[in-house]
Amino acid sequence: MIIDKNKLPIHIGFIMDGNGRWASKKGLPRTAGHAEGAQTFRKIARYCKKIGIKYITFYAFSTENWKRPADEVDTIMKLFWQYLEEAKDFVKDNTRLIFLGDKSRFEDKMREKMISLEKASENFDEMTVAIAMNYGGRDDIVHSVKEIARMVKEGYVSPSDIDEELVESLLYTGNMPDADLIIRPGGEKRISNFLIWQSSYAELYFTDVLWPDFSPKELDKALEDYALRGRRFGGVV
Ligand code: IPE
Ligand code: IPE
Ligand code: MG
């Protein structure tokens, strides 16, 4: 990779899409695609760390994905559990791990594991890996608004104090910086309820490569493209 460090995004969001189609193309059940996609996740997280990306968010399961057949949801949850078991290694590696989304929907042992991994890594600062699991951008905003309503009701915030900073601080991403680059493999050109608030000025990169085939080389291509973008944030350059 030959990109100037200053031109790298601080926060990359990955929409890990295309697992099912990858498997179908090979005549395999969709669930095989999820298992392969989980390998890509590991590879890409390691590569991001190597090149010095500070924040990455992986969209693993949306609030809408519960609509899928029960056996597919079950396989995804099993893979996620396996990942949680392995995540101790990440945690050793000065990497902070956080989970974005409503954890109350998961089984107790899953939720407890997520919380304990977050706690064990909360002071690590070399890199932050966020996994969006039962995550929806709209749910994220509703969750923040509910917190604010509670604070107003309890009397320590007045409606006139509500500003972008407050709404943002109560999102699942807390004080993570906004996403600079959103990468969506799998051929679809949409956001599908990912980081809606946090991507208001993100650069978008779409590729037809399916997530299980996504590689560090493909990521380099996205980063090269990103480095050429002129980001104005509504101003003039
Ligand atoms: C992404 O791959 C994984 C999840 C949404 C959980 P898909 O399962 O959506 O794969 P395609 O889009 O059907 O190929
Ligand atoms: C987006 O993929 C969600 C994740 C990758 C977790 P989907 O496959 O669910 O999105 P749509 O249905 O094509 O918009
Ligand atoms: Mg999909």
Side-chain angles (χ1 to χ4, degrees):
M1 223 231 347
I2 41 147
I3 298 163
D4 180 347
K5 278 240 171 233
N6 301 320
K7 297 237 163 111
L8 284 178
I10 293 171
H11 180 183
I12 307 180
F14 290 97
I15 301 178
M16 304 191 283
D17 194 28
N19 293 347
R21 278 163 288 158
W22 180 90
S24 302
K25 266 175 48 183
K26 293 190 147 37
L28 298 167
R30 288 178 56 83
T31 48
H34 296 310
E36 194 63 27
Q39 294 302 339
T40 305
F41 158 79
R42 293 175 176 93
K43 243 183 280 169
I44 294 298
R46 267 197 303 272
Y47 184 65
C48 283
K49 176 145 199 192
K50 187 174 138 203
I51 63 177
I53 305 295
K54 294 288 279 181
Y55 297 87
I56 25 175
T57 300
F58 291 96
Y59 198 13
F61 194 85
S62 74
T63 46
E64 290 72 41
N65 287 146
W66 297 102
K67 289 187 234 164
R68 297 187 176 203
D71 67 325
E72 180 168 341
V73 171
D74 206 48
T75 301
I76 293 171
M77 292 303 148
K78 287 204 175 95
L79 287 165
F80 184 49
W81 176 253
Q82 249 174 39
Y83 168 76
L84 292 179
E85 293 274 43
E86 285 169 25
K88 295 184 261 340
D89 296 338
F90 256 136
V91 167
K92 266 190 261 157
D93 214 12
N94 205 15
T95 298
R96 183 170 170 225
L97 199 56
I98 59 169
F99 298 94
L100 314 181
D102 177 7
K103 296 185 183 75
S104 69
R105 183 92 192 241
F106 298 110
E107 284 175 21
D108 290 351
K109 68 167 190 181
M110 190 96 114
R111 184 173 45 257
E112 282 156 19
K113 189 98 174 175
M114 289 157 94
I115 294 170
S116 86
L117 285 163
E118 286 181 336
K119 282 231 163 66
S121 65
E122 69 189 348
N123 296 318
F124 293 161
D125 57 5
E126 195 180 326
M127 181 196 209
T128 297
V129 174
I131 318 273
M133 196 69 201
N134 187 26
Y135 177 86
R138 290 184 173 189
D139 178 59
D140 199 355
I141 295 166
V142 169
H143 167 258
S144 167
V145 168
K146 276 190 180 154
E147 274 299 299
I148 294 171
R150 196 181 49 76
M151 291 156 95
V152 170
K153 191 169 168 217
E154 288 174 8
Y156 51 94
V157 164
S158 79
S160 59
D161 293 334
I162 301 170
D163 57 10
E164 292 188 9
E165 207 180 320
L166 181 64
V167 175
E168 192 163 298
S169 68
L170 295 164
L171 295 172
Y172 291 120
T173 36
N175 40 29
M176 276 171 76
D178 279 350
D180 298 299
L181 172 63
I182 303 279
I183 298 179
R184 182 169 192 154
E188 311 295 357
K189 293 183 179 64
R190 55 179 171 253
I191 291 297
S192 301
N193 206 12
F194 190 41
L195 304 178
I196 290 178
W197 175 291
Q198 300 89 335
S199 67
S200 55
Y201 271 99
E203 296 299 321
L204 307 178
Y205 182 88
F206 299 103
T207 165
D208 289 337
V209 174
L210 303 170
W211 176 252
D213 290 328
F214 194 81
S215 60
K217 219 169 124 199
E218 294 298 331
L219 177 54
D220 281 352
K221 278 194 218 161
L223 293 173
E224 277 155 25
D225 195 278
Y226 173 83
L228 298 172
R229 308 259 182 115
R231 300 187 76 194
R232 286 184 291 281
F233 298 96
V236 282
V237 181

